[in-house]
Amino acid sequence: MQNNFNIISGTTLFKGFSEKEVQAALNCLEGTIRDFAKKETIFRADEVLDEAGIILHGQVLLCKENISGMRSIFSELGQGEIMGETALGLAREHSGYEAVAGADCKILFIKMNKIVRP
């Protein structure tokens, strides 16, 4: 995690945290880093999310499918941005969109229920 401290501490979730505080928080939030290859699905629209992700490297495309089955990209996220924020909601709902790796990427996932539901 040390190599990624500047990225992680630059996010709104960890702004102002020391390296030691970030490490302690990530241990509590069960932080795990996962790699995704370009075009790999990170999560589907019908999934109920319990993790948010901080993009450490690469690009993530957020997509929605319309009624005729056409998929459109509505957001492109890069290093230091947060995805899967629907995991913050108290209601356990589907995300409503799909996340796909737009390039090879590395994402730090944290269990949001550890924050909003202790």
Side-chain angles (χ1 to χ4, degrees):
M1 297 283 178
Q2 281 184 328
N3 298 348
N4 299 306
F5 173 72
N6 289 336
I7 298 166
I8 296 166
S9 65
T11 66
T12 53
L13 287 174
F14 295 102
K15 193 167 237 38
F17 282 40
S18 70
E19 193 166 347
K20 189 175 181 178
E21 290 168 327
V22 166
Q23 189 60 53
L26 291 177
N27 287 338
C28 177
L29 299 171
E30 299 175 16
T32 57
I33 295 176
R34 286 183 245 156
D35 295 310
F36 295 88
K38 182 177 181 175
K39 296 186 179 181
E40 187 175 352
T41 299
I42 299 166
F43 61 80
R44 296 181 320 272
D46 61 349
E47 286 184 59
V48 175
L49 304 179
D50 66 348
E51 298 176 308
I54 298 171
I55 302 165
L56 301 176
H57 173 77
Q59 178 191 50
V60 174
L61 305 175
L62 302 182
C63 310
K64 274 197 163 201
E65 196 171 288
N66 67 19
I67 197 155
S68 19
M70 296 288 294
R71 188 165 72 169
S72 61
I73 298 167
F74 68 88
S75 188
E76 296 179 19
L77 304 176
Q79 183 174 301
E81 293 189 272
I82 297 172
M83 56 175 252
E85 66 286 343
T86 56
L88 286 168
L90 294 176
R92 303 283 294 149
E93 298 176 2
H94 300 287
S95 67
Y97 60 92
E98 179 178 66
V100 177
D104 290 350
C105 59
K106 185 178 294 286
I107 302 171
L108 167 65
F109 287 96
I110 52 177
K111 300 279 187 186
M112 296 310 295
N113 63 351
K114 300 287 185 175
I115 293 176
V116 295
R117 290 181 283 283

